[in-house]
Amino acid sequence: MAETGTTTPRERYRAQVQAEIKERAWEQIAAAGASALSLNAIAKQMGMSGPALYRYFAGRDELITELVRDAYRSLADAFRAASAAGGGLTGLAHTLRDWALDDPQRYFLVYGTPVPGYHAPDDVTTIASEIMTALLDACADLPADGPPTPLAAHLEGLGDQWTTGHPAPPAALHRALTCWTRLHGVLSLELAGHFNGMGFDPTLLFTAELDTLTGASAN
Amino acid sequence: MAETGTTTPRERYRAQVQAEIKERAWEQIAAAGASALSLNAIAKQMGMSGPALYRYFAGRDELITELVRDAYRSLADAFRAASAAGGGLTGLAHTLRDWALDDPQRYFLVYGTPVPGYHAPDDVTTIASEIMTALLDACADLPADGPPTPLAAHLEGLGDQWTTGHPAPPAALHRALTCWTRLHGVLSLELAGHFNGMGFDPTLLFTAELDTLTGASAN
DNA sequence: TTGCGTTCGTTAGAAGTTGTAACGCAGACC
DNA sequence: GGTCTGCGTTACAACTTCTAACGAACGCAA
């Protein structure tokens, strides 16, 4: 509390306004998706004029980029906490699911439909590799099962490209990739509502997939 | 050819213009995503004024809905052809992948980030169930392996809800769901570019997942 | 306490979007 | 040939993002 650093009152005010802008932006995104985000509406909500927001963000794109950054950081933090708690791959998976269900549009901001021209800034990919590292560590802890796959051979030595210089056995790389794609497959379809009206509980499908990832009995 | 039905010249012209509008719309979507679709730009491309398009589509939303419908129909047709060709689940999977790679934004229009308020019209869900039926049939043809899963028990008798009155064994339901989510998991992350710079071939990951779905050796 | 300078919020305006309304023309049908 | 339906137009309203110029307030420093 006392350690606010060497921040001038102006800087503190600026940070506070920026935070409120992002908060309103998240509300709008949760309500109507990222494409419906309107700077004007945010400004009106905050009781100020439209162009005022340009003192805080260069434009709509920069605001969204900042939100994407925050979303990545949020997931990375959740993963770090889960890793520290020692829940293993199961803990990581449930952390991911909870994080996704907590704000579906935030999940889609990270893993959803990309805009063709857009290229994420470097620090975002850095956070993404941090997330991958946590997943890879959890996968490396599991005992190897079955014979080495052809894909694993193809993956040989690629681990330090994904993460920050992090050697891992090819089988762990394969398993991490599989975890990622399978859990994302269930989650994204569930969040998008593609299971609506099918009459089953998506939670069971998620845990079933998780079981194939961690359990000895595969499928 | 000769059988154009009882179409007046006006109707034929109208259908032709509508088709060209959709064609331009697909070009725009492929270039910059669905959120960047502009009726004005389409009109300018076609050499007419903006409001003229409203003779053919009630608005932007209706045009996009129509494109979504076409996308679903396109995938359903591709699946029907693959089923007729007798390629089995493997054929279906490669059909899906080819269809997705052919126009990533079209794939995302079907399986990508949903707009919170939007609800798909009934006929779209009908086509979706047709797609599910093809997948379910291919899964039912495969021999059952392993013990019945808890999820399969939960899925008991749900098949005729997804498809059009199509009884299927629970194990096939579970396998169909797993196919869907796993293939979508790999495909959507690949198309979104999340594998970029990781140095491996996404095709191998896709086929590896497909092998776990069809092959006897599971993982 | 008295300036000074940075920063903020304002209004005005350009250029774009979706969508509506009213008008004229032209093609189709009787 | 007359009538009627439908198409494309321009004009306009209400939005959007974003720039430019102005004034006021605030923090800092002398």
Side-chain angles (χ1 to χ4, degrees):
Chain A
M1 270 302 159
E3 181 56 17
T4 51
T6 61
T7 62
T8 67
R10 277 237 154 103
E11 284 173 339
R12 261 174 288 157
Y13 176 76
R14 184 179 177 81
Q16 187 180 333
V17 174
Q18 259 177 341
E20 185 174 349
I21 292 174
K22 291 202 273 189
E23 208 170 313
R24 307 282 187 182
W26 279 118
E27 292 171 9
Q28 280 199 11
I29 287 179
S35 61
L37 195 151
S38 159
L39 293 189
N40 248 328
I42 294 176
K44 200 180 296 182
Q45 271 189 342
M46 294 179 63
M48 51 190 207
S49 209
L53 293 198
Y54 287 80
R55 298 280 178 196
Y56 300 93
F57 295 97
R60 216 184 85 113
D61 284 4
E62 189 179 293
L63 173 56
I64 292 186
T65 296
E66 194 65 31
L67 296 177
V68 170
R69 208 190 313 270
D70 284 358
Y72 266 103
R73 252 195 294 258
S74 162
L75 180 57
D77 289 347
F79 264 28
R80 189 185 355 252
S83 294
L89 184 53
T90 305
L92 233 47
H94 284 115
T95 298
L96 175 64
R97 183 154 203 270
D98 292 342
W99 182 82
L101 290 176
D102 185 52
D103 188 344
Q105 289 296 321
R106 182 182 55 183
Y107 183 89
F108 285 124
L109 217 52
V110 170
Y111 291 117
T113 307
V115 176
Y118 181 76
H119 198 70
D122 287 346
D123 59 327
V124 165
T125 65
T126 300
I127 308 175
S129 78
E130 186 182 331
I131 293 171
M132 196 64 197
T133 300
L135 183 60
L136 195 48
D137 283 344
C139 287
D141 287 347
L142 269 72
D145 63 331
T149 60
L151 178 59
H154 178 244
L155 256 32
E156 179 81 50
L158 254 52
D160 45 349
Q161 280 193 5
W162 310 355
T163 67
T164 51
H166 203 266
L173 298 179
H174 187 179
R175 196 198 291 266
L177 272 184
T178 306
C179 282
W180 187 16
T181 60
R182 288 191 191 174
L183 298 182
H184 166 73
V186 176
L187 266 180
S188 67
L189 288 175
E190 174 188 2
L191 297 178
H194 282 285
F195 298 152
N196 287 352
M198 295 183 82
F200 70 93
D201 183 4
T203 309
L204 294 180
L205 182 56
F206 184 86
T207 55
E209 281 298 76
L210 182 55
D211 285 346
T212 68
L213 260 4
T214 63
S217 116
N219 186 358
Chain B
M1 275 302 160
E3 180 56 18
T4 52
T6 62
T7 62
T8 67
R10 277 237 154 103
E11 286 173 337
R12 261 174 289 157
Y13 176 75
R14 184 179 177 80
Q16 186 179 335
V17 174
Q18 259 177 341
E20 184 175 349
I21 292 173
K22 290 203 275 188
E23 206 170 315
R24 307 281 186 181
W26 279 119
E27 291 172 9
Q28 280 198 11
I29 287 178
S35 61
L37 194 152
S38 159
L39 294 189
N40 247 327
I42 294 176
K44 199 180 295 182
Q45 271 189 342
M46 293 178 63
M48 53 190 206
S49 208
L53 293 198
Y54 287 81
R55 297 280 179 195
Y56 300 93
F57 295 96
R60 217 184 84 112
D61 284 5
E62 189 179 291
L63 173 56
I64 291 186
T65 296
E66 194 65 31
L67 296 177
V68 171
R69 208 190 314 268
D70 286 356
Y72 266 102
R73 251 196 295 259
S74 161
L75 180 57
D77 289 347
F79 265 29
R80 186 178 6 244
S83 294
L89 183 54
T90 305
L92 234 47
H94 284 115
T95 298
L96 174 65
R97 183 154 203 270
D98 291 344
W99 183 82
L101 290 177
D102 185 54
D103 189 344
Q105 289 296 320
R106 182 181 56 181
Y107 183 90
F108 285 124
L109 216 52
V110 170
Y111 291 117
T113 308
V115 175
Y118 180 77
H119 198 70
D122 287 347
D123 60 327
V124 165
T125 65
T126 300
I127 309 175
S129 78
E130 187 182 329
I131 293 170
M132 196 64 197
T133 301
L135 184 60
L136 196 48
D137 283 344
C139 287
D141 288 345
L142 269 71
D145 64 331
T149 60
L151 177 59
H154 179 242
L155 257 31
E156 180 80 51
L158 255 50
D160 45 350
Q161 280 194 5
W162 309 354
T163 67
T164 52
H166 203 265
L173 298 178
H174 187 176
R175 196 197 294 265
L177 272 184
T178 306
C179 283
W180 187 15
T181 58
R182 288 190 191 175
L183 297 182
H184 166 73
V186 176
L187 267 179
S188 67
L189 288 176
E190 175 188 0
L191 298 178
H194 281 285
F195 298 153
N196 287 352
M198 294 184 82
F200 69 93
D201 183 4
T203 310
L204 294 180
L205 183 56
F206 184 85
T207 55
E209 280 299 76
L210 182 54
D211 286 346
T212 68
L213 260 4
T214 63
S217 116
N219 184 0

